[in-house]
Amino acid sequence: MKNIRQREILNIIQEQDIDTQEQLLEALRARGFSTTQATISRDIKDLRLVKELTSSGGYRYAVSERKLPSAFDVRLRNIFKEGVVSVDVAQNIVVVRTMPGLASAACSALDSMDIDGMVGSLAGDDTGILIMRDSALAQQFSGEVHKLLK
């Protein structure tokens, strides 16, 4: 339900100038969504919406043009630098070897990020398996991880 609601929020802010959470809440309710202001606030944060100036001098919610590194991204980098031992590729599967006990944390962090082509992950104690859509994406991701580990 969260993904559907957030998709509808994006549709609403593209169609209308919405400048308050209350307006967004009313627009969602008009489209059949029953939610609270607190949920809307979390959705705005999750979607990284910002207020931008309109041509009429008012403000409206919009999707942020730039992505700032979040604290979560910094933690992921630290997990990788401190805990990942090796990364290898077998066709569309990326195998991530970690220090004992860290595979679950590494895979959980990766699952939460918007990684192009990643279908999902499976973690054991010291090994994580990332399933990518195809071999090329697996190779590309592996290369990025190797750069990160240097």
Side-chain angles (χ1 to χ4, degrees):
M1 187 68 174
K2 177 181 176 180
N3 289 337
I4 296 169
R5 183 184 62 249
Q6 288 184 348
R7 204 168 331 140
E8 196 60 34
I9 288 171
L10 293 174
N11 289 336
I12 291 169
I13 65 169
Q14 285 179 344
E15 297 167 6
Q16 306 173 38
D17 284 349
I18 302 288
D19 69 340
T20 66
Q21 291 181 9
E22 293 77 24
Q23 287 177 337
L24 186 54
L25 185 60
E26 288 303 315
L28 279 169
R29 286 184 180 153
R31 294 180 183 204
F33 290 85
S34 177
T35 190
T36 65
Q37 186 274 329
T39 300
I40 297 296
S41 182
R42 283 189 296 273
D43 287 339
I44 289 170
K45 183 178 178 181
D46 287 349
L47 294 169
R48 296 182 179 174
L49 300 182
V50 295
K51 286 196 175 183
E52 67 180 11
L53 191 62
T54 65
S55 58
S56 64
Y59 288 92
R60 65 184 297 259
Y61 281 110
V63 177
S64 176
E65 291 293 321
R66 62 185 179 140
K67 287 194 174 186
L68 299 173
S70 69
F72 188 76
D73 294 340
V74 172
R75 283 184 284 175
L76 175 65
R77 289 181 194 278
N78 288 337
I79 287 170
F80 269 80
K81 285 183 180 179
E82 299 298 323
V84 172
V85 175
S86 69
V87 177
D88 201 359
V89 177
Q91 294 186 15
N92 70 318
I93 297 172
V94 178
V95 178
V96 179
R97 299 236 184 232
T98 68
M99 299 292 291
L102 293 180
S104 181
C107 285
S108 178
L110 288 166
D111 283 337
S112 299
M113 299 190 72
D114 186 23
I115 296 173
D116 186 37
M118 190 170 108
V119 177
S121 70
L122 180 64
D125 182 57
D126 63 354
T127 305
I129 296 175
L130 310 177
I131 297 101
M132 307 301 283
R133 292 217 178 275
D134 60 40
S135 297
L137 289 168
Q139 287 290 344
Q140 177 185 350
F141 179 74
S142 176
E144 291 173 12
V145 172
H146 280 287
K147 288 179 195 172
L148 185 65
L149 293 177
K150 291 182 181 181

